[in-house]
């Protein structure tokens, strides 16, 4: 089949099937179901890769900015399924993969609604700044997504502990310590990337002489708010030893802002986060 | 084959009876030497805190092993009146004995269904009998098969899933909070008998350090010495509590030693991650309101016992499949054994018949020496072989049918007697 004929539906359906099988695994923990879930997700990943190549999906587009983290998280799901075979891993990762995929479909049906990175790079030297700005921002988005997944898992595990659920019954999750570490590392990687991405964006705007449209500009507002929340999480975490549930909730808030940023930035005039 | 198991368990006898007839090391050795000599049989003795069972076997079907005589021997060895033991003893013969052993080793007859110790205890009983030379072909085959049954039941059903001891349940909870333990500190407050057991499980996790605090500094030092920890004065309890990652509390205090207000002050000084408190004291040492499932995870003795009850409840769902495996394996063992025994007799019958035919033919040829051509000799030899085969066909077919269908040895024993076949 020509790769141009691979559609959103191909990989979204594969991820949905994988998620359905993971849910079924909760009721019937049989290894063939897990194998089928992994195969379905692998098929989805392959289809998504072909789609992104075939459709020349640009990072600079809303579609690309959402599909790239989804792609990384699909890989994250597959590696996690290998390492944490007995845990309810897919239940938390696949909804994010599927959600980002569907959001990408909703916000940008066309793959090239803004200039592609490659094309832009070929245009002039200014595009280098733009490429770096987008790459850093998308990579930080991946970190925030991982932090979000770890935070949701943390809250569920903490709730299980709070209700003193019998270990080994129901959802099997990583320990609180492991989830907190995962969240901390994800944020520690994502924050510098986000900061550099933002600085590069500002530098690009200054260099191109784009006028500052004020704090009411959705791009400025959401991105600035995202950065502030992020900085706040890290400040509270390291400055006040804030841990556990509250850090998890703030991370979830950051993830929500990230989604808003990705959607609003690309729908705003000028494009780009 | 003659197989008999005689004994008592937690189901049939109270603990004082079980204690009375339990085998100590020397008694076990003596019994494993005396029983085979006295009853002309193989013997394995399984003696645990929940059961005492003697397995006796002979390759031959008779004479029958008498249960009364075994009971009398038990009474004699332990110096108890025979009549005081008889009401508590059970006996299983042949297939029932096989079924019973397989149920025992699969932990279906245990006090805590699915517990893993019994398989090891049966293995040790078998090894001990082997060392004493009281084991023969029947019990060797039976116990080897029993171990396979135990493995199959454990791997194919969920009967051994989960933990049933309070200490293991405590570790299960701790593992939900922490991932690694080589950088963790364990604080032990007080420590009774159950506390020591829980501490042993926590030590197995390999924590970086263990602190022990007790109202009595001597007691704290003694416990600390025993577990490689450091004794902490009682008045420094709050300080170490703010730094500990896992707390095991088992004091004999009549009132909670840690109120909510006192604990909140400690928590405000805490800079590290969550703390797991295992409060196994009765009455409880910690105010239950400090539990939030995030920064402080408090589990008391009831929470830990709940895991055990849940585990046992879950295991019950696996009893039926486990029983099915046991029943299947009993049939398999009896058939295999039957085929093995029948196969030996068939081979022996054929060998005997073949030897006799050859001897008769040789004698005939020597008498007719020089008067027979090679073709005549071949014809005569063929005729005798045909006669032998036709003669043996009926008994061998009947034996084969018996081994496949009934699993009994009636015909086998009859043929052994009729044809004077010996092992």
């Amino acid at each position: 089949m020509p790769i141009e004929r691979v559609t959103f539906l191909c990989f979204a359906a594969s991820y949905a099937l994988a998620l359905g099988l993971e849910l079924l695994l909760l009721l019937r923990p049989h290894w063939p179901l897990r194998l089928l879930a992994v195969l379905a997700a692998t098929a989805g990943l392959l289809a998504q890769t072909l789609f992104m190549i075939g459709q020349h999906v640009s990072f600079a587009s809303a579609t690309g900015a959402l599909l790239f983290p989804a792609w990384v998280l699909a890989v994250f799901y597959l590696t996690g399924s290998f390492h944490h075979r007995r845990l309810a891993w897919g239940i938390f990762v696949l909804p994010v993969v599927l959600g980002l995929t569907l959001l990408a479909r909703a916000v940008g049906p066309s793959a090239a609604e803004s200039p592609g990175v490659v094309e832009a790079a070929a245009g002039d030297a200014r595009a280098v700044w733009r490429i770096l700005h987008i790459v850093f921002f998308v990579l930080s988005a991946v970190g925030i997504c991982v932090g979000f997944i770890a935070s949701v898992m943390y809250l569920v595990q903490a709730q299980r502990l709070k209700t003193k659920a019998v270990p080994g019954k129901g959802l099997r999750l990583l320990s609180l310590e492991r989830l907190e570490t995962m969240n901390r590392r994800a944020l520690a990687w994502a924050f510098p990337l986000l900061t550099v991405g933002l600085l590069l964006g500002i530098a690009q705007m200054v260099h191109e002489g784009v006028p500052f449209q004020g704090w009411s500009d959705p791009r400025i507002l959401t991105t600035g708010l995202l950065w502030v929340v992020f900085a706040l999480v890290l400040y509270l975490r390291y400055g006040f030893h804030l841990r556990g549930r509250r850090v998890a909730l703030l991370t979830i808030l950051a993830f929500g802002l990230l989604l808003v940023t990705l959607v609003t930035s690309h729908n705003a005039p000028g494009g780009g986060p | 084959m003659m197989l008999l198991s005689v004994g008592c368990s937690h189901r049939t006898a109270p603990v004082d009876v079980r204690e009375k007839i339990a085998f100590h090391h020397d008694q076990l050795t003596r019994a494993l030497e005396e029983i085979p000599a006295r009853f002309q049989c193989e013997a394995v003795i399984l003696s645990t805190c929940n059961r005492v069972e003697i397995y006796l076997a002979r390759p031959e079907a008779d004479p029958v092993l008498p249960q009364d005589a075994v009971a009398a021997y038990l009474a004699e060895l332990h110096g108890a009146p025979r009549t005081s033991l008889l009401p508590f003893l059970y006996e299983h013969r042949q297939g029932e004995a096989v079924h019973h052993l397989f149920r025992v080793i699969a932990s279906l007859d245990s006090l805590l269904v699915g517990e893993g110790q019994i398989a090891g205890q049966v293995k040790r009983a078998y090894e001990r009998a082997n060392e004493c030379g009281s084991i023969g072909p029947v019990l060797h085959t039976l116990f080897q098969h029993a171990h396979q049954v135990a493995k199959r039941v454990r791997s194919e059903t969920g009967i051994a899933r989960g933990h049933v001891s309070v200490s293991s349940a405590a570790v299960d909870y701790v593992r939900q909070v922490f991932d690694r333990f080589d950088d963790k500190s364990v604080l032990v407050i007080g420590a009774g008998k159950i506390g020591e057991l829980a501490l042993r499980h926590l030590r197995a996790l390999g924590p970086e350090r263990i602190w022990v605090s007790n109202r009595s500094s001597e007691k704290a030092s003694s416990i600390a010495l025993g577990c490689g920890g450091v004794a902490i004065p009682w008045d420094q309890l709050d300080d170490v509590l703010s730094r500990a990652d896992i707390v095991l509390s088992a004091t004999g205090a009549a009132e909670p030693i840690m109120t909510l207000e006192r604990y909140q002050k400690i928590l405000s000084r805490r800079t590290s991650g969550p703390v797991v408190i295992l409060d196994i004291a009765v009455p409880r040492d910690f105010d239950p309101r400090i539990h939030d499932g995030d920064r402080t995870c408090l589990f008391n003795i009831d929470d830990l016992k709940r895991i055990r009850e849940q585990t046992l409840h879950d295991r019950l769902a696996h009893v039926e499949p486990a029983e099915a495996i046991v029943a299947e394996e009993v049939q398999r063992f009896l058939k295999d054994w039957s085929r093995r025994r029948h196969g030996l007799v068939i081979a022996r019958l054929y060998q005997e018949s073949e030897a006799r035919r050859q001897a008769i033919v040789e004698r005939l040829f020597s008498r007719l020496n020089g008067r027979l051509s090679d073709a005549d000799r071949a014809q005569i030899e063929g005729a005798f072989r045909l006669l032998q085969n036709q003669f043996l066909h009926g008994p061998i077919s009947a034996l084969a049918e018996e081994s496949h269908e009934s699993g009994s040895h009636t015909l086998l024993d009859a043929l052994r007697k009729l044809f004077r076949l010996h092992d």
Side-chain angles (χ1 to χ4, degrees):
Chain A
M1 189 169 84
I3 60 172
E4 292 78 18
R5 293 182 63 184
V6 177
T7 62
F8 259 107
L9 184 67
C10 296
F11 54 94
S14 299
Y15 293 143
L17 176 63
L19 178 59
L21 289 165
E22 286 281 350
L23 288 168
L24 203 58
L25 261 170
L26 286 180
L27 303 173
R28 293 174 177 275
H30 298 314
W31 68 266
L33 284 178
R34 170 132 299 176
L35 183 67
L36 284 175
V38 169
L39 286 176
T42 307
L45 183 69
L46 187 66
Q48 187 180 349
T49 310
L50 293 176
F51 176 85
M52 288 167 76
I53 294 169
Q55 300 290 323
H56 304 290
V57 174
S58 162
F59 287 161
S61 66
T63 311
L66 289 162
L67 279 186
F68 182 71
W71 187 90
V72 176
L73 291 177
V75 176
F76 186 56
Y77 161 72
L78 290 175
T79 52
S81 297
F82 181 74
H83 288 294
H84 312 297
R85 272 173 247 182
R86 302 182 66 138
L87 301 178
W89 183 253
I91 300 293
F92 295 90
V93 183
L94 285 172
V96 181
V97 175
L98 193 59
L100 289 174
T101 306
L102 295 176
L103 198 60
R105 180 77 185 97
V107 299
S110 161
E113 76 270 34
S114 66
V117 171
V118 178
E119 303 90 279
D124 56 66
R126 284 179 303 177
V128 174
W129 293 103
R130 184 173 170 75
I131 294 165
L132 287 173
H133 160 62
I134 293 164
V135 166
F136 275 102
F137 193 86
V138 170
L139 287 175
S140 77
V142 172
I144 297 170
C145 289
V146 172
F148 167 75
I149 291 164
S151 297
V152 174
M153 286 172 95
Y154 184 97
L155 291 177
V156 174
Q157 181 69 302
Q159 187 58 29
R160 280 177 56 80
L161 282 163
K162 190 176 182 181
T163 55
K164 299 185 178 179
V166 174
K169 293 276 289 178
L171 285 176
R172 287 182 182 216
L173 299 168
L174 292 168
S175 67
L176 286 187
E177 183 183 34
R178 183 80 177 271
L179 292 168
E180 196 171 35
T181 305
M182 192 197 287
N183 186 21
R184 193 182 68 234
R185 284 184 185 160
L187 297 189
W189 276 98
F191 185 68
L193 293 170
L194 178 68
T195 308
V196 173
L198 283 180
L199 290 174
L200 286 170
I202 293 166
Q204 183 202 346
M205 283 171 72
V206 171
H207 191 255
E208 289 176 4
V210 178
F212 179 66
Q213 293 174 354
W215 292 105
S216 58
D217 181 349
R219 284 179 301 166
I220 305 290
L221 185 68
T222 54
T223 315
L225 205 55
L226 174 64
W227 190 88
V228 169
V229 169
F230 225 136
L232 185 70
V233 174
L234 292 176
Y235 178 66
L236 292 172
R237 171 68 185 80
Y238 292 102
F240 288 89
H241 304 289
L242 190 74
R243 286 170 175 271
R245 203 174 268 139
R246 280 176 285 185
V247 172
L249 289 170
L250 283 171
T251 309
I252 291 170
L253 176 65
F255 176 76
L257 282 170
L258 170 79
L259 292 184
V260 174
T261 306
L262 287 174
V263 174
T264 56
S265 296
H266 287 281
N267 288 338
Chain B
M1 174 181 72
M2 165 56 62
L3 187 61
L4 169 68
S5 72
V6 178
C8 67
S9 73
H10 59 95
R11 294 191 192 281
T12 62
V15 68
D16 56 324
V17 174
R18 300 202 305 270
E19 276 171 359
K20 209 179 287 174
I21 61 167
F23 285 82
H24 304 298
H25 188 270
D26 294 342
Q27 284 176 320
L28 194 62
T29 309
R30 186 181 147 195
L32 286 172
E33 283 165 3
E34 285 180 358
I35 291 174
R38 188 179 290 201
F39 300 106
Q40 302 299 310
C41 63
E42 305 168 25
V44 171
I45 298 172
L46 175 64
S47 179
T48 73
C49 55
N50 282 327
R51 67 181 67 246
V52 176
E53 288 174 348
I54 304 177
Y55 291 85
L56 306 171
R58 281 198 200 116
E60 309 305 330
D62 52 39
V64 171
L65 286 163
Q67 185 223 353
D68 282 0
V70 180
Y73 175 77
L74 263 177
E76 176 195 320
L77 186 74
H78 295 285
R82 194 174 68 95
T83 48
S84 70
L85 295 182
L86 276 178
F88 303 106
L89 295 181
Y90 48 72
E91 67 154 1
H92 299 288
R93 288 182 183 275
Q94 306 300 85
E96 274 183 24
V98 177
H99 186 254
H100 178 70
L101 174 65
F102 287 2
R103 287 191 81 246
V104 167
I105 200 168
S107 191
L108 290 167
D109 196 47
S110 297
L111 189 62
L112 299 173
V113 173
E115 53 96 6
Q117 280 186 326
I118 188 66
Q121 288 166 335
V122 172
K123 190 179 180 190
R124 277 193 292 281
Y126 163 74
E127 285 168 352
R128 194 72 202 285
N130 215 5
E131 284 164 19
C132 294
S134 68
I135 252 185
V138 180
L139 291 186
H140 177 76
T141 313
L142 177 65
F143 277 76
Q144 291 288 336
H145 198 117
H147 290 302
Q148 298 306 316
V149 174
K151 277 185 194 167
R152 206 185 143 196
V153 168
R154 290 177 82 81
S155 63
E156 291 182 23
T157 71
I159 200 143
R161 245 177 245 155
H163 289 130
V164 287
S165 80
V166 164
S167 310
S168 310
V171 171
D172 280 353
Y173 270 129
V174 170
R175 283 190 183 281
Q176 287 208 311
V177 178
F178 296 120
D179 201 49
R180 52 180 293 192
F181 298 91
D182 56 355
D183 60 347
K184 300 293 180 296
S185 305
V186 173
L187 168 64
V188 182
I189 308 172
K193 189 84 179 165
I194 191 168
E196 281 177 26
L197 197 64
L199 178 58
R200 204 180 304 158
H201 276 79
L202 290 177
R203 271 190 76 193
L205 296 172
E208 188 181 15
R209 64 183 77 84
I210 297 175
W211 293 311
V212 182
S213 190
N214 198 297
R215 285 185 203 276
S216 152
S217 56
E218 290 80 25
K219 180 89 188 206
S221 302
S222 156
I223 297 166
L225 198 66
C227 66
V230 177
I232 302 291
W234 187 250
D235 57 5
Q236 290 178 21
L237 180 63
D238 289 11
D239 181 45
V240 282
L241 195 53
S242 70
R243 289 183 283 139
D245 301 296
I246 302 163
V247 179
L248 175 66
S249 190
T251 73
E255 295 287 323
I257 59 167
M258 195 57 62
T259 60
L260 180 64
E261 295 72 28
R262 183 178 172 190
Y263 185 76
Q264 277 173 341
K265 281 180 196 159
I266 294 169
L267 201 60
S268 64
R269 283 154 48 192
R270 187 177 180 82
T271 54
S272 51
V275 57
V276 179
I277 301 170
L278 304 166
D279 182 1
I280 53 177
V282 179
R284 291 172 293 183
D285 286 336
F286 283 72
D287 187 327
R289 288 176 296 169
I290 68 172
H291 172 75
D292 63 6
D294 183 22
R295 304 242 15 228
T296 305
C297 298
L298 169 69
F299 302 102
N300 59 40
I301 194 79
D302 281 352
D303 300 324
L304 302 177
K305 279 184 178 166
R306 204 160 45 83
I307 293 190
R308 183 170 76 170
E309 281 156 21
Q310 182 68 49
T311 302
L312 289 173
H313 179 264
D314 291 348
R315 284 181 179 181
L316 287 180
H318 300 280
V319 166
E320 204 177 308
E323 292 279 14
I325 290 174
V326 165
E328 186 190 322
E329 289 295 336
V330 169
Q331 288 308 312
R332 182 178 292 170
F333 172 80
L334 291 174
K335 273 194 175 173
D336 285 354
W337 180 260
S338 184
R339 271 182 211 151
R340 196 169 145 171
R341 300 292 299 159
H342 283 72
L344 283 174
V345 170
I346 289 169
R348 191 90 183 105
L349 187 63
Y350 190 79
Q351 280 168 5
E352 290 263 330
S353 169
E354 183 75 6
R356 283 178 193 173
R357 181 188 63 77
Q358 276 180 0
I360 290 167
V361 169
E362 286 303 318
R363 228 173 12 231
L364 182 66
F365 285 168
S366 63
R367 272 191 209 152
L368 300 173
N369 195 16
R371 281 179 277 173
L372 296 172
S373 64
D374 287 347
D376 295 335
R377 290 166 76 98
Q379 280 210 346
I380 290 168
E381 205 163 340
F384 271 91
R385 182 168 283 119
L386 185 65
L387 178 68
Q388 176 197 332
N389 287 346
Q390 286 190 350
F391 180 74
L392 288 180
H393 178 73
I396 287 175
S397 300
L399 264 183
E401 280 166 20
E402 185 186 63
S403 74
H404 284 287
E405 288 165 8
S406 63
S408 78
H409 295 130
T410 317
L411 196 55
L412 184 85
D413 294 331
L415 279 174
R416 286 162 69 110
K417 280 184 185 165
L418 283 170
F419 288 92
R420 307 262 185 242
L421 301 172
H422 305 288
D423 284 333

